[in-house]
Each structure stands twice: as C-alpha cells, then as structure tokens.
C-alpha cells in the first residue's frame, strides 16, 4: 500500500512539474507577444481646425518618435544607469562595527556627557 502511494506521489509531482514548466513557457511567450504589440502602437494623431462665421478651433497634432529611435534612447539610458551602478559598486564597503567597538563608543559618549554636565554645574 505504501509503495503505491509513493509511486502515485512521484508521478503526481513529476506531472505537476512538467505542467507548471509548460504553463510558465506559455505565459512568457504571451507576455513577449503583448510587449511587441504595445511597442508597435502608434499614438500619432492630427485634428484639423474648424472655422466658421464667428467661431473657430485650432488644429492639433502629435507625431510619435520612431520605435527604433525610442528604443535606442531607452537602451542608452539603461546603459548609463548600469555604468553609474558599476561605479558605485567599486566603493569600499565597511564591515559593521563589532559589539565591543559599539560598547567602547557608548562609554566614550557617556564620559563626554558627564564632563559636559560637570562643566555646566561649575
């Protein structure tokens, strides 16, 4: 009986793993297609103005930058940000103080406070 349960559990776990892997791949592919669709949207527009006897409205237009040019700008900004992060990562990081160092620092601070109080009293 226990061997059968182990066998069923193993088959179930393997099936779930394969199923989740397939679902993950399918979701990733759909997200990539969606991102390409969003990227290819063109938001350019032009509205003609209207003029009649006593009224008029101005025209309006917007021309979106080419997708390739905007991607190049975006990639350039990302590279600059990565370079900045790399430059900051070269800075030395100090190890946190040990408890003994902290105690010594606190004791020194207490001594300074006592000396200030004595000077204020005098």
């Amino acid at each position: 009986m226990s061997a059968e349960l182990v066998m069923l559990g193993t088959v179930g776990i393997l099936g779930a793993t394969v199923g989740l892997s397939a679902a993950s791949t399918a979701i990733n592919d759909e997200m990539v297609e969606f991102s390409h669709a969003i990227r290819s949207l063109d938001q350019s527009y032009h509205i003609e103005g209207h003029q009649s006897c006593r009224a008029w409205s101005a025209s309006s237009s917007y021309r979106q930058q080419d997708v390739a040019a905007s991607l190049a700008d975006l990639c350039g900004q990302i590279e600059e940000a990565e370079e900045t992060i790399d430059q900051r990562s070269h800075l030395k990081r100090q190890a946190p103080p040990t408890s003994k160092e902290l105690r010594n620092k606190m004791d020194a601070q207490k001594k300074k406070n006592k000396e200030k109080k004595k000077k204020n009293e005098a």
Side-chain angles (χ1 to χ4, degrees), residues 47-60:
I47 299 173
E48 290 292 327
H50 177 72
Q51 188 172 7
S52 64
C53 297
R54 294 185 176 187
W56 63 273
S57 64
S59 63
S60 178

Side-chain angles (χ1 to χ4, degrees), residues 24-78:
S24 170
T25 303
I27 289 171
N28 190 36
D29 291 343
E30 287 298 319
M31 291 298 208
V32 168
E33 287 180 24
F34 180 70
S35 67
H36 287 295
I38 294 295
R39 187 185 310 158
S40 66
L41 286 177
D42 187 8
Q43 298 177 359
S44 301
Y45 70 89
H46 179 77
I47 299 173
E48 290 292 327
H50 177 72
Q51 188 172 7
S52 64
C53 297
R54 294 185 176 187
W56 63 273
S57 64
S59 63
S60 178
S61 65
Y62 170 74
R63 180 161 156 62
Q64 182 177 342
Q65 185 179 16
D66 186 37
V67 173
S70 64
L71 283 176
D73 289 345
L74 179 63
C75 291
Q77 291 174 359
I78 291 172

